[in-house]
Every structure is written in C-alpha cells, then in structure tokens.
Amino acid sequence: MSIGRSWWHEILLLAAFVVVAVILGIVSGYPSGAFLLAGAIYIGWHLLQMLRYHAWMRDSENYSMPISLGVWKAAIDGAVELRQSERRREKQLLQMLESFQASTNALPDATLVVDESGTIEWINQAATRLLGISRHDVSRVKVSSIFASSRFDSYLKNNNYRTPIKLTSPVDNGVLLELRIAPFDENKLLLQLRDISRLEQLETVRQDFVANVSHEMRTPLTVIRGYLESMRDAGESMDEWQPVIEQLDRQSARLQQIVEDLLLLSRVEQGEATGIEEIVDVPGLLEALQTEARLLSGERAHRISHQADEKLLLKGHASELRSLFSNLVFNAIAYTPPRGVIEIRWFMEGDSAVFSVLDTGIGIEQQHIPRLTERFYRVDEGRSRKSGGTGLGLAIVKHVLNRHDGRLEIESHYGSGSTFVCRFPPSRVAKSGSLEAAEVSSPAGRIL
C-alpha cells in the first residue's frame, strides 16, 4: 500500500472517531467529554501500536506485529520490505563468504589474517596443516607465538615487506616456508606461507652440481693451458700451428674465466665466506680498477674518469666487492664504443654509500633490464660473445650486493648509454679516521 493511501485511511479512521464522539456527545449530553474520551482512545491506540511496533522490530519471533491499519500499514509494509531486503543481502554475503572460504581453502598456500595486535583473525585450511593451528582456537593465538624467531619478529615490525623471508615450519623442521606479507584495511596484515622445500632442495642440488663440475674442470683446464703455453714457446717447429694455438689459448682462457666466475657465484650463493669481513678501502680499490680499466681499454681509448669520497669506506668482503666493482667497470668498457665516456663514482647520498658506473655505450632495451642479472642471460648473443663476457658478471653483482645488504638500480636508454648504481645501507658505511676504521683492507690486501 502506498503512503498516500495509508494517510487517507488514517484520515478516515480519525473521521470515524470524530463521528462516534459526536454521536456519544449527543446521546449523553456531554459533547466535550465524548470528544476527550474519543481522543484519549485514539492516542492510546497509537501508543499501543508504537509499543507493539518497537517490540516487533526488536524481536519479530516472540512478538506479533501491530495491527496493519492506517499509517501503521505503510510503516509495517516498509519494515517488512527492509527486512526482506536485508535477508537477501545477508544471503548474498553469506554465499560470497562461503565461496571465498572455499576458494581460499583450495589454495595450497597457508593464508592468515592478523590484526594490529598480532592476533590471528582468520586462517585457511592449508594454514592448519602447515602451521599446526586449530581453527577453533585461532582467535586466541598470537602469530609471534607460532614462529618463535627474532628474525620473524623483526621482519614483522620492520614494515618493509617487499622481499619475502624463509622460515622453518613450526610443525616439521624439514619443511621450509616462504613468507610474504601484504598490509590492508587499517593496520591488518595478510600473511601467505608457501612450502618451498622441494624448490630449495632442487636449488641446492643445482648449486652443488655447478660447484662440483666447475671445481673438477679447473685441473684439466690448467693442464691444457700449460701444454698450449709450451707449444707456443716451442719455436719454429710449431710456427704453422701458432694461429690454431692462439685460438685454442683464447678459448681455453675464456672457459677458465667462466669456471672461476661459476665458482665465485656458487660460493656467494651458498653463503660461503670468501674472506673475513673487514673495512674496505673502496677509494684505493677504485683507483686500482681505473688503472686496470685503462689497460683493458687499450687502443679503444675510452675516456675513463673516477670520483671517490676518500673518507668513505665500506664494511664487507674485499674480494667480493672487488669482483662486484670490476664486473660493472669492465662491462662498461666491453659495451662502450671507442673513445666513449665511462664515469666511475663513489659517494654518500643521504645515509647510504653509492657506487655508480655511467657509460655512453650502446645501451639496453627496457624489456631486457629485469633479466640482466640472470645467469648467462644475453641481450644479443653475437654481441655478448664478441665482447668476451661470460654472462655471469651481473649475476655475481646481484648476489654480492645481497650479501652486503645492498641493491642494484639500472637505468639505460638504447643507443645512448647506461648507468648502473649500487646502494649500500648505513649499516655498511664506515669513515676513515673513525674507531671502527682502525684497520682497513687495501686493494693489495695489506692493512693500512
């Protein structure tokens, strides 16, 4: 019933009360009393309707609805329509929730929702299996109590979740989990844990295989190069074979460099120490690298310059850092045309130490940049082989930076050059003259 019709019915009801009051007044001879009585009954009836309406709205199962008459007809119809709409909406939300729970339970990854206090609000079925949590007790569990690890606690409080971390499953020490965190909805966190035990095992097998093969290849390569050296020095008897010997020597030298790079990459990946951590004299190291770079440039006559903050030192492994810096500098020489510009810089930017190599070389197309640090990835197969590179240099750079808590930034424009930037955090920075720089490793390995 429309609101207009309900009001017309209410007016008719009021008119009926008035007519009854008039008749009673005439019959009784007290018209004012009759009107007062009719008005009290009318108002009392509406008050009773209001009381019943309030009780019915609060608990429709135990209280009956008001009499559907007059304006109350419109009020009751509106309330019924709202309730039906709410029930439809609740049903839709329930179906959506059931669908969401079914889909998340189908995921192989453990998923948790954690509130601002660190209490778990919700988990999927995979989380109960990987973490050993009962879904009935989830509201009383703190996520920090599952992973009793200071590393996990610091990662959770760090608010920097761009890089996932690896954790051992609290249920099975043989299961390795990768944790990713995504903040959402006002201080809440979505945690995803993936079982990477198999992937980690395969990666370990691969690393061991590469390391073992590379190690076994060193001895035969050394023998081959020794015989080639003897053949080259044999005199006139081997003159006609000299071109072949030179080519064999170049290729064996290249293969030996690949082996050495693979061994270094393997050690860095597996976290093996390549020397003690010390405070490295980076300015001295770069000065030595500049000299080597000019020798490598040779007849191509690159214009190589370097600027270094003489007081800025770095905590780390000297041999690894030398490999990092030399790979970037020698790459710039390899891919920069003759008489091109190469600028090497070492400076402070904010609280961070920054190493950068700028060149005016051939540049790199944007689609290749994300994959440059992959092993043996080549932008141009022919061009890379011509440069004499092993395809491992930037992979070594990435892993050495990871070992030193740094990050690599690459900016390049095809045809106009590239800039490679390494940023080291404040925890790695040292200053010459400070107490912690009392012993500094020089490029030659002596203590300054």
Side-chain angles (χ1 to χ4, degrees), residues 202-216:
L202 291 173
E203 179 65 13
T204 301
V205 170
R206 182 197 64 78
Q207 290 178 357
D208 290 344
F209 173 77
V210 170
N212 292 334
V213 169
S214 302
H215 184 75
E216 291 300 323

Side-chain angles (χ1 to χ4, degrees), residues 6-233:
S6 296
W7 276 104
W8 275 113
H9 287 179
E10 185 65 29
I11 291 171
L12 290 175
L13 179 63
L14 181 61
F17 269 90
V18 171
V19 169
V20 170
V22 169
I23 293 172
L24 287 175
I26 293 172
V27 172
S28 63
Y30 297 99
S32 57
F35 272 99
L36 286 173
L37 179 61
I41 294 173
Y42 180 76
I43 293 171
W45 182 79
H46 273 291
L47 289 173
L48 179 62
Q49 286 283 85
M50 289 174 63
L51 181 63
R52 295 181 65 182
Y53 183 81
H54 176 71
W56 174 69
M57 288 292 291
R58 190 173 57 187
D59 186 3
S60 60
E61 293 183 358
N62 295 320
Y63 293 93
S64 58
M65 69 172 64
I67 298 172
S68 182
L69 186 65
V71 293
W72 292 104
K73 172 67 173 173
I76 292 168
D77 289 347
V80 169
E81 186 176 347
L82 282 174
R83 282 188 170 178
Q84 289 175 346
S85 177
E86 286 178 1
R87 284 171 184 161
R88 286 194 298 270
R89 192 178 299 111
E90 286 176 0
K91 187 176 180 181
Q92 290 174 352
L93 289 173
L94 184 60
Q95 289 174 345
M96 288 175 63
L97 181 60
E98 289 174 349
S99 176
F100 171 76
Q101 289 179 338
S103 61
T104 53
N105 284 331
L107 290 173
D109 299 340
T111 306
L112 304 85
V113 174
V114 178
D115 65 16
E116 62 275 7
S117 68
T119 303
I120 300 173
E121 290 188 344
W122 177 87
I123 58 172
N124 68 344
Q125 193 169 346
T128 63
R129 183 181 68 257
L130 286 176
L131 304 179
I133 310 172
S134 169
R135 302 186 79 170
H136 301 290
D137 301 330
V138 69
S139 60
R140 297 191 296 271
V141 176
K142 294 277 188 180
V143 70
S144 57
S145 66
I146 299 174
F147 300 103
S149 164
S150 57
R151 183 163 167 264
F152 171 76
D153 293 338
S154 60
Y155 180 74
L156 194 65
K157 295 173 183 175
N158 192 30
N159 293 326
N160 183 6
Y161 307 125
R162 289 182 300 177
T163 305
I165 63 168
K166 297 175 182 178
L167 299 165
T168 304
S169 169
V171 178
D172 184 353
N173 291 332
V175 174
L176 187 65
L177 304 176
E178 182 183 72
L179 170 66
R180 292 182 180 273
I181 298 180
F184 77 102
D185 190 28
E186 294 186 6
N187 301 323
K188 290 188 179 182
L189 298 174
L190 180 69
L191 279 66
Q192 265 198 321
L193 293 131
R194 181 186 178 197
D195 184 352
I196 59 168
S197 305
R198 179 62 176 165
L199 290 175
E200 196 71 12
Q201 184 181 14
L202 291 173
E203 179 65 13
T204 301
V205 170
R206 182 197 64 78
Q207 290 178 357
D208 290 344
F209 173 77
V210 170
N212 292 334
V213 169
S214 302
H215 184 75
E216 291 300 323
M217 288 176 67
R218 293 177 79 178
T219 300
L221 275 172
T222 302
V223 173
I224 291 171
R225 297 208 67 195
Y227 278 117
L228 288 171
E229 186 72 24
S230 299
M231 293 169 69
R232 189 165 49 210
D233 297 338

